[in-house]
Amino acid sequence: MDSPVAKNLANVPGVQMMEKNWVDITVDWLKEHEVVRAYVACHNNPNQFAEESTFLVNALYAQLEYVVRISTTAANVRPDCKAYYPRSHWAIEALLSSPEFNSLMWTSLQPNLYLQWGLAPAVDFIKKYRESRVQGRLSFTISKDTPMGLIDSNEIGIFAAHLLAQENPARHNKAKYVLNGPEDLTGAQVVEMVEQRTGIKVKDVGYEELLALAQASYEKVYANTGESKNVIMTGRHALETLWEGKCRASTTSKEVLEIAAPKRTPTDVLRAMLGEE
């Protein structure tokens, strides 16, 4: 409620803002507030399935007509994915596809990796170099040469809003839409963008370095929570499908391109993250 986005949204005519922890939403709360449609952007902690499925079951019994949810990279949404959290998304989609949920219309959005996340190391490198004139190491989780259709996370919300505003969303019921940005990107191209903005040749670059990030995530976020390290560390496999070339911009669903085609390029998002626009 205190964020700039929430405040701007609250000023839109006809919009009423209410703050509620979504995992605490009950059937009675949904009925009391006459909720008919919902947008779910869940976390990817190990308890994701328990919390999101609880909300969806409540939505079913509260007789909501339509739910749009964010899934994850389409190539990962399968029961044998090595990373833990895409299996949760697969399980949620299997739950929604069951006959018991026939009365609830739903659409699952399967976006590629967010540009904001993929470009974060470049932004950090540029800012630190501009401050100190000393270059550190530039470490990426993305591949050096494999094209990937990374997407501006804001454009996922824009597409979801278009779906939720449909007078009759029946044509999108049980749909799973793949979302990518408008153009492919490689790690080597990001390095070029960094060099253009710093005027230097980057000396130390690493690609596909997800193991160290998974380890740091466990130590900083999960080590004191009782979560299984073995489970959390499977996250190091999450980008393998991107490195294999399975997540190019060309895989975007035609419905996405027809309704609200993503327009923000890597350059656009980098400029925004650097405060250049």
Side-chain angles (χ1 to χ4, degrees), residues 49-207:
F49 179 83
E51 293 192 338
E52 186 172 357
S53 64
T54 295
F55 175 84
L56 293 171
V57 168
N58 289 339
L60 176 69
Y61 282 103
Q63 298 181 326
L64 267 68
E65 64 178 30
Y66 186 43
V67 171
V68 178
R69 65 175 299 273
I70 292 185
S71 181
T72 190
T73 305
N76 286 347
V77 185
R78 60 182 200 270
D80 64 340
C81 185
K82 292 179 181 178
Y84 72 90
Y85 66 88
R87 298 195 302 271
S88 294
H89 286 291
W90 171 83
I92 288 290
E93 292 177 356
L95 175 145
L96 288 169
S97 299
S98 67
E100 290 82 359
F101 276 79
N102 279 344
S103 63
L104 176 64
M105 290 191 292
W106 59 275
T107 303
S108 193
L109 309 184
Q110 299 177 331
N112 204 344
L113 186 71
Y114 301 158
L115 273 166
Q116 285 83 349
W117 196 79
L119 293 176
V123 172
D124 185 59
F125 183 97
I126 293 169
K127 288 182 176 180
K128 288 182 178 178
Y129 180 78
R130 287 175 174 175
E131 292 173 358
S132 67
R133 294 297 165 181
V134 175
Q135 64 167 295
R137 187 167 192 274
L138 183 52
S139 176
F140 289 113
T141 59
I142 58 179
S143 174
K144 178 180 180 181
D145 298 313
T146 304
M148 298 170 287
L150 276 62
I151 185 171
D152 180 349
S153 59
N154 297 298
E155 296 201 287
I156 302 168
I158 291 172
F159 179 68
H162 277 271
L163 294 182
L164 290 165
Q166 297 273 318
E167 183 175 348
N168 181 5
R171 69 172 280 225
H172 305 292
N173 186 28
K174 295 181 171 61
K176 303 170 187 178
Y177 292 144
V178 178
L179 293 91
N180 300 290
E183 60 185 48
D184 286 320
L185 178 70
T186 66
Q189 289 175 320
V190 180
V191 172
E192 291 179 6
M193 295 162 70
V194 170
E195 293 177 341
Q196 289 172 359
R197 283 163 175 76
T198 58
I200 62 170
K201 182 72 175 177
V202 179
K203 298 177 181 178
D204 189 5
V205 185
Y207 301 96

